[in-house]
Amino acid sequence: MEELVGLREGSSGNPVTLRELWSPCPRIRRGIRDGLEWLKQKLFREGEDWHLLMTLGVLMALVSYAMNFVIGRVVRAHKWLYREIGDSHLLRYLSWTVYPVALVSFSSGFSQSITPFSGGSGIPELKTILSGVILEDYLDIKNFGAKVVGLTCTLASGSTVFLGKVGPFVHLSVMIAAYLSRVRTKAVRESENRSKQKEMLVAAAAVGVATVFAAPFSGVLFSIEVMSSHYTVWDYWWSFFAATCGAFMFRLLAVFNSEQETITSLFKTSFRVDVPFDLPEIFFFVVLGAICGILSCAYLFCQRTFLHFIRTNRFTSKLLATSKPVYSTLVTLVLASITYPPGVGRFMASRLSMKEHLDSLFDNNSWALISWNSTPPWPAEPDSQNLWFEWYHPQFTIFGTLAFFLVMKFWMLILATTIPIPAGYFMPIFIFGAAIGRLLGEALSVAFPKGILAGGVTYPIIPGGYALAGAAAFSGAVTHTISTAILAFELTGQIVHALPVLMAVLAANAIAQSCQPSFYDGTIIVKKLPYLPWIRGRSINSHCVTVEHFMSCAITTLAKDTLLEEVVKVVTSTEVAKYPLVESKESQILVGIVRRDQLVQALQAEPPSWAPERQQCLQDILAGACPVEPVTLQLSPETSLHQAHSLFQLMNLQSLFVTSQGRAVGFVSWVELKKAISNVTNPPAPK
């Protein structure tokens, strides 16, 4: 390849190479090189990842806002088509159903054809990854595009399918964080740091929630409650920084696009500030929490049972394995047909979007009291100033439509969770809980039309406050989180109902956590992902059960003096990932760990035959191609089940060897731990 040439200024015309032209400037070259090296050291200094976290927050805010922009245009086109197609019921029915069916079937086919990891929420798999399990390619950046396109089509189908955005967006955020972490590792040419990567992933989970709801506080608390069994205080600051950057950028884009005058909450409410509720109403808020807890248990049980049935039934499992778009089309057609407005959808406020559902349910006024004095008409189009008209029917009343909405959405949400598309399930249960609270609030407003007398003063009951508490309580019970109370305050921008909402959430969680696993844990169980259950309940005496009661004694050890021929037999007859290395066959003193893959490479590098007079032992190849890893953690037979479980969760371990006075006597993995926990929580019947 020829060198580039040029002319030196003022020269006689003899050409010179580009290197010669540049060589007279050593000071400039050295300055540029040193400047780039200084910038690299500052950006990728150990422990200084603020720029990556800020980039993560800004990128996810841009993706979230762009997605909302596209979804808004597609939904608006659907409404225009439904309005302008004419008065023919057949044409209107087709326009109402075919549109979401086409979007959902495309979402399923497109996303699944690119990667099988794009379907569902993604949070159960992320919980598994953060617990120390490696799921190959699940966080690969190539999945990002498939999930974005599929999720956009899912949300553009509107409230007919009634699915949300939170779970997939957490998955998207974690994918970007994993990619940025790999970029940093390559830039500084250092080995992969799993603890540093976990910090990025935990912060990314907070960013995913913050850029959907513009709620940094609840985003961080969500990442603590849902994604982590143990939380490092060091991650707290990073998570808040990244979540704040994402939430701020997300709301700032709305201001730049003239959608908002300033940065405000997503769902504006105008609850009474001076006296938002009377003291006796605290009892009804606790009752609401108990109702939400009981209903959440029923929902979790039915959802998990139905999902297991769909995955094990011969017909549906074959359909999901071979023709996912066909299954998605059939389910969406059923849901869209039920929500058709002139039909059953008239009693479910089906013309409202998910945002309009919450806006209407958080209304201050009592619809039941208003409808007593007047009969509002059903408008041709939803009235943005009177969205509650969509909930009213002269023969069905407000109570009938709210109750019918709850009954229908209960099984429709369960059915929608089986569709193999990128979708979130938090927002639907949040709205479902708001409808529960609204129904109770309306009933109380009718029972006490002038309010509850307390201290000689009577204040009217605000049904919207009960809707807010119900939304937080039911969604918190389903996900086993308390942060939904904070999310309710950040979404509405008001904190006047802080105490009753928190009490309702605590009451609902007390019931749900004692009866059913969370929505995400239930999905992990059904999908048979690696899962280490919690030890719950004070009555479970896990301190009295020791490791010697449940450890596996079928341990294959390799001694340093083992002949290589015997080592080959052991490696070919077993499939374990690592072998305990002992000092000798007689002593069985554990001195280290040998990984199977490294041992196989070392054996393949040795000559295929060994002379009888010069038989080699395992110790001969350990110093070279097969390094020995030190045993930094080990269990004792006297270690309690509670201590072993805590250690596994805290360190994200998969297995540990058990030693007695230095001798290797067994090992404990997730399999043994899960069986021991099951025997403690549900002891077998005596024979």
Side-chain angles (χ1 to χ4, degrees):
M1 182 177 178
E2 297 183 359
E3 280 194 287
L4 296 175
V5 297
L7 293 176
R8 195 188 306 276
E9 185 178 359
S11 64
S12 59
N14 296 325
V16 293
T17 63
L18 193 60
R19 181 174 306 203
E20 292 176 357
L21 283 172
W22 184 245
S23 59
C25 308
R27 200 174 284 177
I28 297 177
R29 287 186 294 140
R30 193 182 311 113
I32 294 176
R33 187 164 53 246
D34 293 344
L36 291 175
E37 188 65 28
W38 176 86
L39 182 63
K40 177 181 175 182
Q41 291 177 356
K42 288 295 181 182
L43 289 179
F44 300 104
R45 190 167 54 187
E46 183 67 27
E48 297 291 338
D49 291 337
W50 60 268
H51 57 284
L52 294 179
L53 296 171
M54 184 175 68
T55 303
L56 173 66
V58 172
L59 282 177
M60 293 311 299
L62 291 172
V63 173
S64 180
Y65 185 81
M67 190 180 296
N68 287 352
F69 182 83
V70 173
I71 292 168
R73 296 299 183 273
V74 177
V75 171
R76 197 172 303 151
H78 184 204
K79 290 182 178 179
W80 175 86
L81 177 64
Y82 178 76
R83 183 177 63 249
E84 299 294 333
I85 202 167
D87 296 331
S88 171
H89 276 291
L90 177 60
L91 293 178
R92 302 194 81 180
Y93 169 78
L94 291 176
S95 68
W96 181 265
T97 56
V98 172
Y99 203 89
V101 165
L103 287 170
V104 170
S105 60
F106 175 79
S107 172
S108 177
F110 177 81
S111 58
Q112 294 291 331
S113 64
I114 294 179
T115 170
F117 306 121
S118 60
S121 167
I123 290 181
E125 290 80 3
L126 294 179
K127 288 191 65 174
T128 303
I129 291 174
L130 289 176
S131 67
V133 179
I134 298 176
L135 298 181
E136 295 292 340
D137 300 328
Y138 194 77
L139 299 181
D140 200 319
I141 195 64
K142 69 181 181 182
N143 303 334
F144 186 86
K147 193 120 188 175
V148 167
V149 174
L151 179 60
T152 303
C153 293
T154 299
L155 298 178
S157 62
S159 58
T160 53
V161 183
F162 214 68
L163 293 173
K165 179 182 179 183
V166 177
F169 224 74
V170 172
H171 185 196
L172 293 174
S173 181
V174 171
M175 276 192 276
I176 292 292
Y179 177 75
L180 292 176
S181 182
R182 289 193 293 268
V183 169
R184 181 193 181 280
T185 302
K186 291 181 181 179
V188 297
R189 295 186 178 91
E190 66 179 15
S191 58
E192 185 178 357
N193 190 336
R194 294 186 64 84
S195 62
K196 177 65 67 175
Q197 186 184 36
K198 184 182 177 182
E199 290 177 8
M200 286 287 292
L201 299 187
V202 171
V207 172
V209 178
T211 50
V212 172
F213 295 127
F217 289 99
S218 52
V220 174
L221 293 177
F222 176 87
S223 69
I224 295 175
E225 292 185 290
V226 174
M227 308 302 293
S228 307
S229 58
H230 292 79
Y231 197 82
T232 308
V233 178
W234 175 253
D235 298 339
Y236 200 59
W237 191 91
W238 294 119
S239 298
F240 258 116
F241 177 75
T244 303
C245 290
F248 176 74
M249 189 65 186
F250 178 67
R251 297 308 292 156
L252 196 62
L253 289 171
V255 177
F256 286 164
N257 201 34
S258 301
E259 297 177 9
Q260 301 286 341
E261 295 182 0
T262 185
I263 296 178
T264 58
S265 57
L266 287 180
F267 301 95
K268 298 182 181 64
T269 56
S270 55
F271 298 142
R272 193 173 56 240
V273 177
D274 50 353
V275 185
F277 58 91
D278 287 319
L279 185 60
E281 288 187 72
I282 292 289
F283 170 76
F284 295 112
F285 279 104
V286 175
V287 170
L288 173 62
I291 294 172
C292 289
I294 295 171
L295 290 178
S296 69
C297 291
Y299 173 81
L300 289 170
F301 175 78
C302 295
Q303 190 272 339
R304 190 173 66 256
T305 304
F306 186 70
L307 183 61
H308 177 74
F309 169 77
I310 291 295
R311 296 174 69 90
T312 56
N313 180 263
R314 185 175 62 179
F315 173 73
T316 53
S317 60
K318 183 179 180 180
L319 193 61
L320 285 171
T322 58
S323 304
K324 288 184 175 66
V326 175
Y327 178 84
S328 304
T329 299
L330 294 175
V331 174
T332 308
L333 181 62
V334 172
L335 297 176
S337 299
I338 293 173
T339 58
Y340 178 53
V344 180
R346 170 69 176 85
F347 307 97
M348 301 168 54
S350 61
R351 295 193 300 181
L352 299 181
S353 65
M354 300 186 77
K355 183 180 185 304
E356 290 172 336
H357 272 96
L358 279 182
D359 284 333
S360 62
L361 292 171
F362 290 160
D363 187 10
N364 286 7
N365 302 313
S366 172
W367 303 338
L369 296 180
I370 296 175
S371 60
W372 272 1
N373 302 323
S374 62
T375 304
W378 193 51
E381 291 295 323
D383 184 1
S384 59
Q385 301 300 321
N386 296 286
L387 292 175
W388 74 274
F389 287 175
E390 298 295 313
W391 295 95
Y392 179 76
H393 190 276
Q395 283 79 38
F396 227 48
T397 72
I398 290 296
F399 298 102
T401 54
L402 285 171
F404 187 74
F405 174 86
L406 292 174
V407 171
M408 296 298 290
K409 285 299 180 183
F410 185 88
W411 67 267
M412 290 172 69
L413 286 178
I414 293 175
L415 181 61
T417 58
T418 64
I419 307 177
I421 54 177
Y425 311 117
F426 179 82
M427 197 63 174
I429 60 176
F430 194 80
I431 297 174
F432 189 87
I436 298 173
R438 186 77 201 192
L439 182 60
L440 179 61
E442 291 289 344
L444 290 175
S445 68
V446 173
F448 306 97
K450 294 183 179 180
I452 299 177
L453 180 63
V457 182
T458 302
Y459 291 98
I461 289 175
I462 302 177
Y466 288 87
L468 184 67
F474 187 77
S475 57
V478 170
T479 57
H480 288 189
T481 57
I482 310 297
S483 57
T484 53
I486 309 299
L487 176 62
F489 306 143
E490 289 189 280
L491 281 178
T492 59
Q494 287 191 290
I495 200 171
V496 292
H497 285 87
L499 184 60
V501 168
L502 187 57
M503 293 180 70
V505 172
L506 290 173
N509 266 276
I511 296 174
Q513 293 192 25
S514 62
C515 298
Q516 292 291 327
S518 72
F519 179 87
Y520 305 119
D521 291 342
T523 306
I524 289 175
I525 295 172
V526 173
K527 289 186 175 182
K528 297 181 179 179
L529 296 171
Y531 170 70
L532 188 61
W534 286 82
I535 301 178
R536 299 187 183 275
R538 293 183 180 271
S539 60
I540 299 176
N541 199 356
S542 58
H543 294 275
C544 296
V545 180
T546 57
V547 167
E548 64 180 345
H549 293 135
F550 60 86
M551 70 179 184
S552 175
C553 298
I555 181 174
T556 303
T557 60
L558 292 176
K560 288 184 178 181
D561 54 358
T562 304
L563 298 178
L564 289 186
E565 294 180 352
E566 297 180 20
V567 173
V568 172
K569 293 179 181 179
V570 171
V571 171
T572 54
S573 61
T574 57
E575 296 292 336
V576 295
K578 53 187 179 183
Y579 297 97
L581 180 68
V582 296
E583 187 65 36
S584 64
K585 296 180 180 178
E586 293 76 17
S587 68
Q588 291 291 309
I589 300 297
L590 184 64
V591 295
I593 297 174
V594 179
R595 293 198 171 273
R596 174 190 172 84
D597 53 351
Q598 296 175 345
L599 182 59
V600 170
Q601 291 178 1
L603 291 173
Q604 291 175 345
E606 288 295 316
S609 61
W610 302 283
E613 66 278 1
R614 186 177 167 275
Q615 289 186 330
Q616 289 182 299
C617 298
L618 177 60
Q619 189 172 4
D620 298 331
I621 64 173
L622 290 179
C626 186
V628 178
E629 297 181 3
V631 184
T632 56
L633 293 173
Q634 52 190 299
L635 296 174
S636 167
E638 289 76 28
T639 304
S640 68
L641 170 61
H642 185 84
Q643 291 173 327
H645 181 269
S646 299
L647 187 62
F648 269 70
Q649 284 200 321
L650 182 61
M651 303 299 295
N652 295 329
L653 302 174
Q654 301 298 308
S655 63
L656 279 178
F657 292 109
V658 183
T659 59
S660 176
Q661 298 180 350
R663 299 177 64 253
V665 295
F667 72 94
V668 173
S669 66
W670 278 24
V671 176
E672 288 75 27
L673 269 179
K674 290 171 68 175
K675 186 176 180 180
I677 295 172
S678 176
N679 290 336
V680 170
T681 54
N682 300 301
K687 296 182 180 179

